[in-house]
Amino acid sequence: MKYTKMLSTIAVVAIFATGCMGNNGNGYNSNQSFGQTRTTNQQAPSTSSYNRNSITNDVKESLSYMYEEERLAKEVYLSIYQKQPLNQLSQIATRSESRHIDAVKDLAQKYGVPTPNQQVGRYQNSHIQSLFNQLYNKGIRSQRDALEVGCMVEVTDINDLNKYISQAQRANAQDVLQTYDFLRKGSYNHYWAFDKGLKQLGVSNGCCSIGQEYCHPEYPQNEKGGGRGQGQGQGRGQGHGRGMGGGGWR
């Protein structure tokens, strides 16, 4: 009897969990927002088990900035995908960037940092707004441009996360630190996926073909990542993101 009751309970829980899953939409439309769906193949760190002490203002500012930067990554990839339908763009946006947005949003809400809903391609931070416009205009030109945008976005994310991870370490904000490390590992994988895509188009140096600041053969890879970059020049993974054209990444 106890065994039968246990099986019945498990079945009810499984049905409830299945009913909670959602869908994602594609497309760049300034009058709507892309759906944000949590996926289960890689889970972000939970915030519930961490200490809930207050964090410093600079860490709060980093959460606000990274929330919009992760939104930019997802939205620019899906927007460009409408013109250049490359699998890397749609899969990274829907499978990974949605989780990244959710992970940062969870922390922001925990610490009272606003994460206002915005239309697709619209951002409160004027710097990120300008970057979205530049990247979208570049990415829609060709498949190569679209994949190069991916390299640029991921290098910028890693550069910013390196800075913000240092801030979180100084503030002893362990939940923020672990979440940012989760985001950075994802960006490493995405970088190699875009690098591999460029090589499949015949661009032998992959992301390194864009310039030295986007050439990072030192980035770690997993067994599913793209091939290691063979371009010349030493990658730089510390500090702020560098320029794209005249404006530059922060």
Side-chain angles (χ1 to χ4, degrees):
M1 293 296 292
K2 290 183 178 179
Y3 179 73
T4 302
K5 185 176 181 180
M6 181 183 301
L7 290 178
S8 299
T9 302
I10 292 172
V12 171
V13 171
I15 292 170
F16 176 79
T18 302
C20 293
M21 299 188 69
N23 295 314
N24 287 86
N26 289 344
Y28 175 36
N29 183 337
S30 62
N31 294 320
Q32 66 182 22
S33 295
F34 294 125
Q36 295 182 7
T37 301
R38 294 178 186 270
T39 55
T40 57
N41 58 334
Q42 182 186 4
Q43 294 297 325
S46 170
T47 63
S48 60
S49 61
Y50 299 126
N51 72 70
R52 294 181 176 272
N53 295 332
S54 61
I55 56 174
T56 59
N57 286 334
D58 59 352
V59 175
K60 288 184 178 180
E61 289 173 2
S62 78
L63 288 171
S64 178
Y65 190 85
M66 287 308 303
Y67 174 70
E68 291 218 303
E69 188 166 277
E70 295 298 334
R71 275 190 56 220
L72 177 147
K74 176 182 177 178
E75 293 172 4
V76 81
Y77 291 164
L78 289 180
S79 298
I80 293 171
Y81 180 80
Q82 299 306 302
K83 302 291 186 180
Q84 303 295 338
L86 295 162
N87 287 337
Q88 291 92 336
L89 296 172
S90 63
Q91 291 181 4
I92 288 172
T94 57
R95 295 183 181 180
S96 295
E97 299 300 349
S98 290
R99 289 198 307 277
H100 290 187
I101 293 168
D102 287 335
V104 178
K105 187 174 183 178
D106 285 347
L107 278 176
Q109 291 179 339
K110 171 182 171 180
Y111 290 113
V113 177
T115 56
N117 292 327
Q118 297 284 328
Q119 295 175 335
V120 172
R122 298 292 180 264
Y123 307 94
Q124 288 193 326
N125 186 294
S126 61
H127 179 70
I128 290 181
Q129 183 65 68
S130 177
L131 291 174
F132 178 91
N133 297 339
Q134 293 177 54
L135 292 167
Y136 176 76
N137 290 334
K138 172 181 171 60
I140 62 175
R141 295 192 309 226
S142 69
Q143 289 189 350
R144 175 169 178 169
D145 282 297
L147 293 168
E148 287 179 351
V149 164
C151 298
M152 294 173 179
V153 169
E154 300 306 333
V155 169
T156 298
D157 275 355
I158 292 166
N159 288 341
D160 285 338
L161 285 165
N162 284 333
K163 172 191 173 183
Y164 295 143
I165 284 171
S166 295
Q167 285 183 351
Q169 288 173 330
R170 292 193 296 270
N172 195 30
Q174 292 301 311
D175 48 356
V176 178
L177 179 62
Q178 292 191 34
T179 296
Y180 284 175
D181 185 60
F182 163 75
L183 302 184
R184 185 171 61 178
K185 288 176 180 176
S187 287
Y188 288 146
N189 292 337
H190 303 164
Y191 175 88
W192 289 117
F194 289 121
D195 180 84
K196 183 177 181 179
L198 284 168
K199 290 175 180 175
Q200 290 173 337
L201 284 182
V203 182
S204 60
N205 285 347
C207 292
C208 291
S209 65
I210 311 171
Q212 184 175 348
E213 67 187 277
Y214 299 111
C215 184
H216 290 275
E218 82 282 4
Y219 283 170
Q221 301 178 65
N222 62 27
E223 66 278 6
K224 296 181 181 179
R228 181 171 292 278
Q230 300 298 318
Q232 299 299 315
Q234 298 298 316
R236 295 191 295 273
Q238 302 298 326
H240 291 186
R242 302 305 201 274
M244 189 201 82
W249 286 94
R250 194 178 91 169

